[in-house]
Structures are given as C-alpha cells and as structure tokens.
Amino acid sequence: MEANNRMELSFLSLSENESFARAAVSAFVAQLDPTVEELTEMKTALSEAVSNAVIHGYEKNQGMVRIICSLYGATVELVVEDQGVGIENIEKARQPLYTSKPEQERSGMGFTVMEIFMDQLEVVSEKGSGTRVTMVKRLGR
Amino acid sequence: MGVSFREKGNILFIRLSGELDHHQAEEIRRRTDRRIEEKDILDLVFDCEEVRFMDSSGIGFVMGRYRKVKEKGGRAVILGTSSYADAIFEMAGIYQIIKKCGDEKQALAYCRQER
C-alpha cells in the first residue's frame, strides 16, 4: 500500500534525543488531528522503542537510531531501527517485567507499553546486526 | 523535567514536573537518592501532578526509590497524578504496591501509621 505521507529521521543514540524524537513525530502526525489520548499513547510507545535502542541497542557504544513514520489514511506506522547488538530472545524480551538491565532500574515494561498503546507490534532482530520495531496505530476508533 | 524536595520529619516529598523519560530519570534518580541519604528519610511521597509526559522510566524510578526505603521499614505514597502518569502507573499495577492518596493530609496519615 502506498503511503499518503512519510518522513524519516536519524539521530545519534544519545538519551538527550529521546524528547526530540517524540516532539518530531508528534509534529508530523498532528496532520491527522489525533486526540490528546491517541497522541500521548503514540509518544509513549515511541519513547519506549527509542529508549530501548539507546540503552540496549548500542549499550556503551553509539550509533544511529532511525525512525520512519508513514501515514496510510488514518493509520500511523512507526518504525524504530538500530544497527546495534540485537535481541537474543525476542519472546523473553517482550515478557512484562523482564529486563536485561535490572541494575539500571529498567522496569521491563517497555514492550508491554508498546503493545497496550498501539494496535500492532512487530519486533525483528538479529544478533549482531540490529533491531527493527514496527508499530501501527489506527486513529479515530 | 524538574524535581523539587521538601521534608516533614522523616517524610520526603518529591515533586516531579515536566517530562519523565529515560534521559531525565537518571538525573532525578541521582538527586533523589542523595536527598534520601542526607536527610535520613524513611517515607516517600511522590507528587506527580505536574508530570506532562511519562514512559516506563517513571515506573523504574518510583519502584527503585520505594525499594530503598522499604529495607528500612519505610512507606511510599503517590499523590496527585496527572492523567499521563496515572495511565502508566495503572498499567504497571503500581497501585497494588504503593498507595495512591488524594491529598497531602491522607498521605501524611498513611506515612504516620504505627509500624
């Protein structure tokens, strides 16, 4: 399906850029006139995916995080990609409360938040070559 | 993101405002832990009314601080959540562990119960 509109954004995996990513995507999806609740849900899910890329994707190193946001009618697709270490066991990573970094006080709720706030979530990852998270939200439901 | 503190005896009031994400949580965690240690704090009151954005980093922050005081027999209360913070706490089941109070009087009464 052809997107009605699309944007791409790449930035260095610094935690400072998490709020920038939320602001940029919010401004882009504003053209669909989402409700405050829909916008908050998308921002929160995006924040989880970007934080994951920053914390887990590159660990102590730095790399680029890429966001692709596509609009299909009233449907928003958000893709967050990194070329980091990858996730060894996706099923385990998606379980509520599971975290590979308890010492950093990560709650292990990132994927759960994405699942609850978005209509679809797909995680594709390969060890050593990176992770791609695709999330879809249909507005006005 | 901002954090401000005030104490009432051994109770620390932690007032959070703005956006609480992974980036902001690290700094707030450091400042809060220093305060807990310096002032010999036992109980915590998290005031989240001014929080304008929160992701799961907020859960980690609140639970981490609670664990710290719990070891010493302390209690924790969440006071005045904005709808943003409330949705995340609710989803994570935080209110089954940490009491949600409607006002400061209620929060103080909870913290001052007999141990």
Side-chain angles (χ1 to χ4, degrees), chain A residues 14-16 18-19 22 36 40 43-44 47-48 51 54-55 97 103-110 112-113 116-117, chain B residues 19-26 29 33 52-57 59-61 63-65 67 84 87-88 91-92:
Chain A
L14 298 172
S15 62
E16 289 90 321
E18 292 159 5
S19 60
R22 291 194 299 273
V36 174
T40 302
K43 275 167 71 174
T44 312
S47 197
E48 302 294 347
S51 301
V54 170
I55 300 161
L97 304 175
E103 74 285 359
Q104 283 190 30
E105 289 188 359
R106 304 305 306 160
S107 65
M109 293 297 284
T112 307
V113 168
I116 290 175
F117 283 165
Chain B
E19 305 204 335
L20 181 47
D21 63 7
H22 156 247
H23 177 67
Q24 301 292 350
E26 303 217 340
R29 173 169 68 163
D33 283 351
R52 290 291 156 255
F53 174 84
M54 194 178 100
D55 64 17
S56 69
S57 310
I59 304 168
F61 169 75
M63 286 308 295
R65 309 289 72 65
R67 273 189 214 108
Y84 304 97
I88 297 288
M91 173 189 297

Side-chain angles (χ1 to χ4, degrees), chain B residues 14-65:
Chain B
I14 304 160
R15 189 174 176 81
L16 302 161
S17 60
E19 305 204 335
L20 181 47
D21 63 7
H22 156 247
H23 177 67
Q24 301 292 350
E26 303 217 340
E27 166 76 13
I28 291 165
R29 173 169 68 163
R30 209 164 31 238
R31 288 176 57 189
T32 307
D33 283 351
R34 200 186 318 141
R35 196 79 172 202
I36 290 171
E37 275 148 38
E38 279 173 7
K39 304 278 179 178
D40 198 22
I41 294 299
L42 194 54
D43 303 313
L44 303 173
V45 178
F46 297 95
D47 183 343
C48 303
E49 204 178 339
E50 298 293 318
V51 172
R52 290 291 156 255
F53 174 84
M54 194 178 100
D55 64 17
S56 69
S57 310
I59 304 168
F61 169 75
V62 167
M63 286 308 295
R65 309 289 72 65

Side-chain angles (χ1 to χ4, degrees), chain A residues 112-128:
Chain A
T112 307
V113 168
M114 293 181 234
E115 251 165 39
I116 290 175
F117 283 165
M118 302 296 278
D119 295 314
Q120 270 176 48
L121 171 69
E122 186 195 43
V123 186
V124 178
S125 188
E126 202 179 322
K127 208 163 182 278

